[in-house]
């Protein structure tokens, strides 16, 4: 009885990493393979490559290998017997193992081929053999696609032999999983567990200026943020680098999709190969677009929305990938929050997914689920009212909106924030109260900055971040006094900052509040509006021409003239009497 004692050590080197347990001896005529995998959707097939008889003799021929052995080796039922000569030719021409089979001419001699393969065999030899024989398979001995209790798949009633166990072709196309492909001896009941180290992951993070933490993702980066319209919002994509040893080439593709409220800044895209998720990428040399990776922005819209891709045809050959400790592909870029941005809920989401090679024996791409982050922005709604009754709405009040430091003023078009601009020339936060109305008018003519209350008393701006702002009244409604101080407005948003957001927008933004000079207004998280009321008091009124005041002057003037005439007559009479 012929035996190949070293074949086990070669063929147990799996194309994908596995934990393998084989009993020392079993007397069963038929055996089972139990695959421990908690993921649904697999259809495992077991192809018998080599068949034979089982012996538990561990000392024959002076050998010292322990455990049962396979003897009287023949080709198994899973190999196409009509293609044996072509299979041998493919083995001989393979760069990795071709030299092992130079002296073999009879393709039907399975024992000789097994012996040649086992001679000084390595894991790479086993991988190459599995890839070649995969092209010459016929009907699988058995298959299973149903998990049993305990998150396992069980293939039963298998004759002894060596098996290529693999996922059915095309069964995982597009799924977040990788094809298994490994050779295992079945000389007893076998249990194995595929490891997920060869499946990459992808995460997306957005910078939030007030989130002063790291959490292993980089300072300020998390799942939820709020910004002003016009701001450049920083994003980060983090893809893990898997074990790619089973693949000749490894495709790796990020696809990032922006909401209509976000406009990609193409020139800010940078790609790095980093050690940790939170590494400061400025410590690394960015990869070269076109040389190290491909960037496609054709589907990114200039007015916001769309998508872009970053692709590696072969991640294995990218610079720095093989350096020790380089575990992640990190992409950074900025997107502008634009005038199309949703105010309040449902927010402005932005997501990414990763496609990756998942079939070591052929073409095929797996795909992760999307990872989403979200950006919010809000609206300030003001109402101008009469200070005497707090109800009467006032038209014609004019305001400008300052940032928290009184160093910039809001640029507003069609009721939306466009950005922030500096104060008029010659003025700063120290003397902004001295800016004449005419100067504001002149600035407004070129860059719209003035908000004017309507007949309903309404004024405001949409597209602001939460934070502190100052409203400065530059013109009062007719008949009312100008406010003598600016109004401090504080908008506060309760958002789910951190790394555990569940992807539901309603849990990302839960509350919005506002105060005006410490007086509470009304916040509405759903609409994203922060509503405040600003009062003006009426001024003192002076008499006007044609009114009662004029009549009063006329009457008083007449009385004074009449009094002067009487006094004059009396004085003339007194003179006459004195002369007599």
């Amino acid at each position: 009885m012929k035996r190949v004692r070293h074949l086990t050590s070669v063929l147990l080197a799996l194309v994908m990493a596995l934990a393998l347990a084989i009993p020392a001896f079993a007397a069963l005529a038929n055996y089972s393979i139990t695959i421990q995998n908690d993921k649904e959707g697999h259809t495992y097939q077991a192809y018998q490559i080599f068949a034979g008889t089982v012996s538990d003799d561990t000392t024959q021929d002076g050998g010292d290998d322990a455990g049962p052995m396979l003897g009287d080796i023949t080709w198994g039922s899973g190999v196409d017997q009509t293609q044996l000569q072509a299979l041998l030719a493919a083995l001989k021409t393979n760069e990795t193992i071709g030299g092992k089979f130079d002296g073999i001419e009879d393709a039907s001699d399975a024992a000789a081929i097994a012996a040649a393969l086992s001679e000084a065999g390595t894991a790479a030899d086993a991988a190459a053999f599995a890839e070649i024989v995969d092209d010459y398979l016929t009907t699988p001995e058995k298959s299973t696609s149903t998990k049993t209790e305990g998150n396992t798949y069980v293939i039963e009633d298998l004759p002894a032999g060596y098996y290529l166990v693999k996922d059915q072709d095309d069964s995982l196309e597009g799924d977040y999983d990788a094809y298994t492909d490994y050779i295992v001896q079945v000389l007893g009941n076998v249990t194995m567990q595929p490891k997920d180290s060869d499946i990459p992951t992808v995460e997306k993070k957005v910078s939030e200026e007030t989130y002063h933490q790291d959490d292993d993702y980089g300072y300020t980066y998390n799942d939820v943020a709020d910004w002003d319209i016009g701001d450049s919002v920083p994003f980060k994509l983090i893809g893990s680098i898997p074990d790619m040893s089973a693949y000749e080439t490894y495709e790796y593709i990020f696809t990032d999709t922006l909401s209509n409220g976000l406009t990609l800044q193409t020139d800010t895209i940078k790609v790095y190969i980093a050690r940790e998720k939170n590494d400061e990428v400025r410590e690394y040399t960015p990869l070269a677009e076109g040389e190290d990776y491909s960037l496609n922005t054709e589907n990114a819209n200039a007015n916001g929305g769309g998508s872009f891709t970053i692709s590696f045809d072969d991640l294995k050959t990218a610079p720095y990938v093989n350096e020790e400790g380089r575990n992640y592909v990190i992409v950074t870029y900025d997107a502008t929050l634009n005038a199309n941005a949703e105010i309040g809920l449902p927010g402005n989401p932005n997501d990414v997914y990763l496609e990756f090679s998942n079939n070591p024996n052929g073409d095929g791409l797996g795909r992760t689920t999307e990872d989403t982050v979200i950006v919010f922005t809000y609206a300030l709604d003001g109402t101008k009212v009469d200070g005497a009754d707090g109800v009467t709405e006032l038209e014609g009040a004019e305001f400008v909106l300052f940032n928290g430091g009184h160093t910039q003023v809001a640029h507003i078009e069609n009721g939306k924030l466009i950005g922030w601009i500096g104060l008029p020339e010659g003025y700063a936060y120290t003397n902004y109260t001295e800016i004449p109305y005419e100067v504001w008018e002149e600035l407004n003519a070129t860059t719209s900055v003035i908000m004017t209350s309507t007949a309903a008393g309404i004024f405001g701006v949409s597209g602001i971040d939460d934070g502190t702002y100052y409203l400065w009244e530059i013109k009062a409604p007719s008949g009312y006094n100008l406010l003598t101080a600016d109004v401090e407005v504080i908008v506060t948003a309760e958002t789910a900052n951190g790394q555990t957001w569940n992807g539901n927008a309603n849990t990302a933004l839960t509350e919005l509040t506002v105060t005006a000079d410490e007086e509470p207004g009304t916040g509405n998280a759903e609409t994203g509006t922060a509503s405040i009321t600003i009062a003006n008091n009426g001024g003192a009124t002076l008499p006007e021409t044609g009114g009662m005041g004029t009549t009063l002057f006329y009457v008083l003037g007449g009385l004074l003239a009449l009094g002067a005439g009487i006094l004059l007559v009396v004085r003339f009479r007194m003179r006459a009497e004195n002369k007599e």
Side-chain angles (χ1 to χ4, degrees):
M1 180 173 63
K2 297 181 181 178
R3 296 186 181 169
V4 183
R5 296 188 176 275
H6 296 289
L7 184 62
T8 300
S9 63
V10 176
L11 297 184
L12 288 181
L14 309 181
V15 176
M16 300 185 70
L18 298 167
L20 180 62
I22 300 177
F25 174 69
L28 299 175
N30 291 90
Y31 311 106
S32 66
I33 298 175
T34 298
I35 304 165
Q36 295 179 336
N37 191 342
D38 60 358
K39 293 181 178 179
E40 301 281 354
H42 282 271
T43 300
Y44 289 108
Q45 296 178 322
Y47 293 83
Q48 190 186 47
I49 304 304
F50 294 115
T53 57
V54 181
S55 170
D56 63 340
D57 182 359
T58 61
T59 60
Q60 290 188 18
D61 300 335
D64 56 3
D65 292 320
M69 304 298 299
L70 186 69
D72 296 327
I73 294 176
T74 61
W75 285 112
S77 63
V79 178
D80 186 349
Q81 305 296 309
T82 67
Q83 296 291 315
L84 293 179
Q85 207 61 41
L87 170 58
L88 178 59
L91 291 171
K92 287 185 174 184
T93 57
N94 182 266
E95 293 181 0
T96 303
I97 58 176
K100 291 178 175 289
F101 308 101
D102 287 343
I104 300 175
E105 300 299 332
D106 183 4
S108 65
D109 191 351
I113 291 174
L117 179 65
S118 66
E119 186 68 29
T122 65
D125 294 344
F129 178 76
E131 183 175 356
I132 294 168
V133 78
D134 185 66
D135 292 332
Y136 298 93
L137 299 177
T138 181
T139 305
E141 182 73 28
K142 297 285 183 178
S143 65
T144 182
S145 60
T146 304
K147 285 200 303 183
T148 64
E149 293 183 6
N151 293 325
T152 60
Y153 296 81
V154 181
I155 308 176
E156 298 180 314
D157 297 327
L158 296 173
Y162 284 90
Y163 285 81
L164 174 65
V165 181
K166 56 179 285 186
D167 279 289
Q168 181 178 341
D169 290 344
D170 301 326
S171 61
L172 297 178
E173 200 67 31
D175 289 342
Y176 181 33
D177 211 340
Y179 285 86
T180 53
D181 191 2
Y182 42 87
I183 291 180
V184 59
Q185 68 172 351
V186 178
L187 308 180
N189 293 331
V190 175
T191 298
M192 59 183 61
Q193 182 178 5
K195 296 180 180 178
D196 288 341
S197 59
D198 53 352
I199 300 176
T201 61
V202 67
E203 297 175 278
K204 183 163 193 172
K205 300 298 173 184
V206 60
S207 179
E208 166 54 55
E209 292 175 308
T210 61
Y211 186 69
H212 299 154
Q213 297 184 49
D214 186 313
D215 295 337
D216 295 330
Y217 289 96
Y219 190 66
T220 77
Y221 281 94
N222 80 129
D223 293 336
V224 181
D226 39 29
W227 289 82
D228 289 327
I229 286 179
D231 282 342
S232 292
V233 182
F235 292 92
K236 178 188 286 190
L237 313 180
I238 305 168
S240 65
I241 298 176
D243 177 5
M244 301 178 287
S245 59
Y247 296 82
E248 290 187 6
T249 60
Y250 196 89
E251 283 190 82
Y252 195 90
I253 306 166
F254 293 96
T255 299
D256 190 283
T257 302
L258 302 91
S259 66
N260 290 335
L262 290 161
T263 304
L264 176 66
Q265 298 179 27
T266 304
D267 59 350
T268 66
I269 296 173
K270 297 288 187 294
V271 182
Y272 305 87
I273 305 298
R275 294 180 178 83
E276 301 295 339
K277 298 177 183 180
N278 62 347
D279 278 355
E280 292 290 338
V281 291
R282 60 175 174 266
E283 298 177 0
Y284 298 101
T285 301
L287 303 187
E289 179 197 344
E291 182 177 344
D292 301 327
Y293 67 92
S294 299
L295 171 64
N296 186 336
T297 60
E298 291 180 359
N299 294 323
N301 300 324
N303 295 323
S307 63
F308 69 96
T309 62
I310 290 175
S311 307
F312 293 86
D313 290 336
D314 185 9
L315 183 60
K316 296 177 69 172
T317 63
Y320 314 112
V321 164
N322 295 318
E323 288 190 13
E324 184 177 357
R326 299 282 183 121
N327 299 310
Y328 299 98
V329 181
I330 293 181
V331 179
T332 62
Y333 72 90
D334 290 350
T336 303
L337 191 64
N338 62 48
N340 297 321
E342 292 283 349
I343 307 301
L345 293 170
N348 302 277
N350 189 332
D351 60 54
V352 68
Y353 65 85
L354 182 69
E355 293 176 284
F356 55 92
S357 291
N358 71 344
N359 187 352
N361 288 324
D363 296 332
L365 290 176
R367 171 176 165 165
T368 68
T369 56
E370 287 86 359
D371 192 37
T372 305
V373 296
I374 194 166
V375 179
F376 291 105
T377 193
Y378 315 109
L380 177 64
D381 283 358
T383 302
K384 192 69 169 175
V385 298
D386 188 314
D389 59 22
V391 175
T392 303
E393 297 153 345
L394 303 179
E395 181 180 8
E398 296 184 10
F399 295 91
V400 292
L401 182 68
F402 290 111
N403 65 353
H406 291 98
T407 57
Q408 292 180 307
V409 64
H411 175 196
I412 301 168
E413 291 183 3
N414 299 318
K416 292 188 176 182
L417 180 68
I418 300 301
W420 295 89
I421 63 173
L423 301 186
E425 186 176 355
Y427 297 93
Y429 69 94
T430 55
N431 64 346
Y432 70 92
T433 60
E434 301 172 9
I435 302 175
Y437 176 75
E438 292 75 15
V439 173
W440 286 119
E441 277 192 310
E442 183 179 345
L443 176 61
N444 191 66
T446 57
T447 305
S448 177
V449 296
I450 296 176
M451 296 176 285
T452 304
S453 63
T454 67
I458 302 300
F459 68 95
V461 58
S462 61
I464 63 171
D465 195 353
D466 68 344
T468 300
Y469 303 90
Y470 291 92
L471 274 173
W472 178 238
E473 188 175 52
I474 61 174
K475 184 179 180 180
S478 178
Y480 287 82
N481 293 328
L482 193 68
L483 297 181
T484 58
D486 53 24
V487 178
E488 182 186 57
V489 178
I490 301 176
V491 179
T492 304
E494 292 294 331
T495 54
N497 297 117
Q499 314 301 339
T500 58
W501 176 51
N502 62 9
N504 183 345
N506 291 317
T507 64
L509 173 63
T510 56
E511 187 177 9
L512 190 66
T513 59
V514 61
T515 61
D517 281 346
E518 300 184 353
E519 291 294 325
T522 302
N524 186 317
E526 184 173 354
T527 61
T529 54
S531 302
I532 60 174
T533 300
I534 307 295
N536 276 88
N537 293 317
T541 53
L542 298 175
E544 297 178 354
T545 302
M548 287 299 296
T550 305
T551 303
L552 180 60
F553 281 122
Y554 289 159
V555 172
L556 289 175
L559 291 175
L560 290 174
L562 179 59
I566 293 173
L567 179 59
L568 183 61
V569 170
V570 171
R571 291 182 66 182
F572 275 122
R573 286 182 177 179
M574 289 178 64
R575 284 184 180 179
E577 291 176 355
N578 289 336
K579 288 181 178 180
E580 293 176 352

